[in-house]
Amino acid sequence: MAQREEIALGRARGDSIRTIAALLGRSPSTVSRELRRDADGPGRYRATAAHALAYHRASRPKPARLVQNLELRGKVEADLAKKYSPEQIAGRLKVEFADEPEMQVSTETIYQSLYVQSRGALKRELTRCLRTGRAVRRSPRTAPRTSTGSPPNSTTDHAND
């Protein structure tokens, strides 16, 4: 909020975007973007109004794209039923609907829609259509374990066993 007030004061003084950015220790493009997004009108910028607009824009949770767009959800469900991976589906949608960003979706959105209860736009039983068939998502950060229980690239010496 304090930086937005500094931007408003700078604009009132007639300072350039570069001057305001230097005072704030920010990039001129950041200040320019703030002024473009949150101005009341041409050349009018109020810190309190800008802060309220930014707060509203950042509010969570945003409605999931697959909840809002029924046509997109249908395509994703049909492709999952054909055993396409979320990566393949996202890639196909990007090619098929290159001019329509509202008909494109990321792989993470597909996974979240399947696995995260609050975002569950897709039918839960479609998790069986995934190649792993898992009903619960595994964290990608955990390294897979071998049958001995050690990480796959373990340097333990088994020659003396």
Side-chain angles (χ1 to χ4, degrees):
M1 182 70 176
Q3 289 189 347
R4 287 191 172 101
E5 289 171 351
E6 286 297 321
I7 292 172
L9 290 172
R11 291 307 277 180
R13 285 191 304 262
D15 292 347
S16 70
I17 290 174
R18 289 188 178 278
T19 304
I20 296 169
L23 288 170
L24 295 174
R26 296 282 188 161
S27 165
S29 63
T30 303
V31 175
S32 173
R33 186 172 48 247
E34 173 70 15
L35 289 168
R36 188 175 56 250
R37 277 186 188 161
D38 299 326
D40 290 355
R44 294 179 45 207
Y45 180 85
R46 283 201 204 100
T48 53
H51 191 69
L53 285 170
Y55 180 81
H56 178 71
R57 238 189 349 265
S59 64
R60 297 278 192 245
K62 291 184 178 176
R65 183 171 283 184
L66 291 173
V67 170
Q68 293 179 316
N69 190 332
L70 299 179
E71 182 183 356
L72 176 61
R73 183 184 345 168
K75 286 203 167 287
V76 171
E77 286 177 346
D79 284 349
L80 281 170
K82 293 177 192 171
K83 300 279 189 188
Y84 290 147
S85 71
E87 290 82 2
Q88 288 173 319
I89 295 168
R92 287 171 53 95
L93 290 170
K94 194 172 281 193
V95 170
E96 191 175 337
F97 298 102
D99 299 340
E100 301 175 63
E102 66 278 357
M103 286 299 291
Q104 297 174 20
V105 69
S106 71
T107 57
E108 185 61 23
T109 299
I110 296 171
Y111 279 118
Q112 281 189 354
S113 193
L114 286 168
Y115 289 118
V116 179
Q117 204 66 35
S118 63
R119 293 209 175 248
L122 297 174
K123 297 175 189 148
R124 190 107 174 129
E125 52 271 11
L126 285 173
T127 56
R128 282 180 277 171
C129 294
L130 293 174
R131 292 174 183 174
T132 62
R134 282 194 192 96
V136 177
R137 189 175 185 189
R138 278 183 39 192
S139 171
R141 294 185 187 148
T142 57
R145 300 284 179 175
T146 62
S147 60
T148 61
S150 60
N153 294 329
S154 179
T155 57
T156 56
D157 185 17
H158 294 288
N160 296 331
D161 291 341

